[in-house]
Amino acid sequence: MIDLTVPDHSFLGQTWGWLLLFALVVIWAVWLFVILPIRKKKHILESIAYCPSLLLPQLPQEYDHISMVPSRKLIQFNYRVNLFHLTCTCQRFRQVRGYYPKNDIRRLCRHLRKELETTKTIFMFDELTQGVISFRLRDSCYTREPLHHSEMIVGFHPRSSIIRVYTYRKNSIDPPNGPFTGPVEKFTYNHRQDNWVYGDPPPNHEQILTTLEKIMTTCKAKYPYSHQLPSRPDPLAIPVPETSPVEAAEKLRQKINAAKKSTTPLQ
């Protein structure tokens, strides 16, 4: 006969295990779908006040319709995009890019960019804007700056040392100081290491560096958080030794003699 008064510990263990797993799933879902989107929205809305950007020209009314753009990862799944309002139904747009102002270039997710390129609508923008869109939008701040006989677009974030410069390359027939007629190219500058990475520097890079320094100084002053770029080292600052070489050698000799006297011989 089975004793019904004895609890089944294996059953209770399985029940608590399932309850713990369910609680972990609920916590993970709340973090992923509630807390994390709220934090992203808060950071984006705060950054709009101090982070400049580019506004795209309003497209004609004929682009106010829904287009289907296939997903890159999900098979037989399409996202609904609208070029006139710059909207998309993808998760990245709903949680990040959709909070930026109307016609802001930072609203362009991968699917909006693809639709602009597929329909050739991207050619309605100027060449520098086309270059920024084609090279993907990875920065939080964008600004258009004048150059000598030309201009450039700078993409950056006050907490990052990487600055992206979009400007024209120099053709062989172009004058030394411009204007330059080559294709729009992306040049990457490391502010912390003070060098151009991934290739040669852009034309007029001396003037560009002066402008970049002004941009970063201005944005760092407005940035509300303490995670800012480290100050660049002064290349002209030469460290001066506190003692002369003779005094340093004498101090080292005294330390060696003191160490020898304090050592006890082995028994």
Side-chain angles (χ1 to χ4, degrees):
M1 179 179 294
I2 300 177
D3 188 1
L4 300 178
T5 61
V6 178
D8 189 353
H9 296 287
S10 62
F11 176 76
L12 292 177
Q14 292 178 359
T15 303
W16 281 108
W18 282 109
L19 289 176
L20 179 61
L21 179 61
F22 177 76
L24 292 176
V25 171
V26 170
I27 294 174
W28 172 81
V30 171
W31 167 259
L32 185 62
F33 298 106
V34 179
I35 299 178
L36 195 58
I38 292 176
R39 293 183 60 184
K40 287 182 179 179
K41 180 181 179 180
K42 179 182 177 182
H43 292 164
I44 291 172
L45 295 179
E46 289 177 347
S47 68
I48 294 175
Y50 61 83
C51 219
S53 185
L54 304 175
L55 292 181
L56 300 173
Q58 181 63 62
L59 295 176
Q61 189 71 33
E62 60 186 85
Y63 290 93
D64 189 7
H65 59 84
I66 300 297
S67 301
M68 298 296 180
V69 178
S71 172
R72 182 178 56 179
K73 298 179 180 179
L74 302 177
I75 301 176
Q76 295 181 350
F77 187 85
N78 297 322
Y79 293 107
R80 299 162 60 88
V81 303
N82 186 307
L83 293 182
F84 182 79
H85 296 287
L86 293 184
T87 58
C88 181
T89 56
C90 69
Q91 182 180 3
R92 179 68 175 174
F93 184 89
R94 289 185 284 105
Q95 293 187 358
V96 178
R97 298 192 179 275
Y99 294 122
Y100 288 111
K102 181 181 179 181
N103 292 339
D104 195 308
I105 195 173
R106 294 171 294 185
R107 292 176 65 92
L108 297 181
C109 63
R110 192 189 73 85
H111 312 99
L112 283 169
R113 297 197 314 269
K114 185 176 181 180
E115 184 66 12
L116 285 173
E117 295 172 351
T118 302
T119 59
K120 309 297 182 183
T121 312
I122 190 174
F123 295 111
M124 300 181 67
F125 307 141
D126 62 271
E127 292 183 350
L128 282 178
T129 303
Q130 294 178 34
V132 176
I133 297 174
S134 299
F135 285 108
R136 299 173 60 184
L137 296 146
R138 301 181 178 180
D139 297 295
S140 299
C141 311
Y142 288 94
T143 177
R144 187 185 296 265
E145 299 293 333
L147 286 176
H148 186 63
H149 300 302
S150 183
E151 59 180 355
M152 67 177 178
I153 292 179
V154 181
F156 64 98
H157 190 287
R159 283 190 297 180
S160 175
S161 61
I162 298 299
I163 307 174
R164 298 174 179 88
V165 177
Y166 304 86
T167 187
Y168 299 92
R169 277 196 175 275
K170 180 181 178 182
N171 279 329
S172 57
I173 60 175
D174 294 339
N177 294 327
F180 304 116
T181 59
V184 174
E185 187 63 64
K186 180 184 71 173
F187 301 89
T188 305
Y189 178 72
N190 191 315
H191 186 273
R192 181 180 302 174
Q193 299 179 1
D194 193 15
N195 67 340
W196 295 94
V197 296
Y198 310 127
D200 299 329
N204 283 343
H205 60 274
E206 296 88 356
Q207 182 186 357
I208 291 177
L209 289 180
T210 303
T211 305
L212 295 184
E213 199 67 36
K214 184 187 303 183
I215 292 173
M216 298 310 297
T217 302
T218 303
C219 289
K220 284 167 62 178
K222 296 180 180 179
Y223 196 62
Y225 303 105
S226 60
H227 306 85
Q228 298 178 351
L229 284 174
S231 58
R232 296 176 57 193
D234 187 356
L236 301 180
I238 302 176
V240 179
E242 297 180 357
T243 58
S244 63
V246 177
E247 294 176 351
E250 182 62 27
K251 289 183 178 181
L252 179 61
R253 189 179 300 107
Q254 293 176 1
K255 290 182 179 180
I256 294 175
N257 293 335
K260 290 181 178 179
K261 292 178 181 180
S262 62
T263 303
T264 56
L266 296 176
Q267 300 297 329

